[in-house]
Amino acid sequence: ALGIAKSTVQVVLLPIIVGLLLNQYAPKAGRAIAEHSPAVGLVVFITLVGASVAGCASAILDAGWSLQWPLIFLHAIGGILGYFGARGMRLSEKVSRTVAIETAMKSSGFAFILAAKHFTDYSVRVPAAVSV
């Protein structure tokens, strides 16, 4: 559990803290980095997950729709709750859509990273890999 907590800090909190510090103490550098962060993040994410999903591809294919349907519903429910939760807090339409997308999709990537780092058995990674 301590390893997963440490990974959470490294993957989630550390980039946020670094970004806040850059914006506070080196705003010009922060803006320059922020301009390219989405593209770099996407390429790194796709590369890491794609390479790892290949290792459990047969398990994903073997599981079929019995694994797909629960994950489809999980993401749909996450998106719906994220959207209406944000709207319930009177956030704008744009922010509500962003929260819905983040809620529905980002947690699966994080789950995959944790599963890949902390479990040696590829089958543990399968649900998160399908979600991505």
Side-chain angles (χ1 to χ4, degrees), residues 26-92:
K28 195 172 185 179
R31 282 191 299 276
I33 291 170
E35 184 177 324
H36 302 289
S37 292
V40 171
L42 184 62
V43 169
V44 170
F45 183 78
I46 289 171
T47 303
L48 291 174
V49 172
S52 300
V53 167
C56 53
S58 62
I60 293 170
L61 294 172
D62 291 343
W65 286 105
S66 64
L67 178 62
Q68 300 290 334
W69 282 117
L71 293 171
I72 290 168
F73 288 125
L74 172 71
H75 290 291
I77 290 168
I80 290 166
L81 290 175
Y83 177 81
F84 286 108
R87 292 304 289 168
M89 293 189 304
R90 300 178 193 263
L91 298 174
S92 72

Side-chain angles (χ1 to χ4, degrees), residues 14-41:
L14 193 59
I16 292 171
I17 292 168
V18 169
L20 289 171
L21 290 173
L22 269 175
N23 285 333
Q24 179 69 30
Y25 298 108
K28 195 172 185 179
R31 282 191 299 276
I33 291 170
E35 184 177 324
H36 302 289
S37 292
V40 171

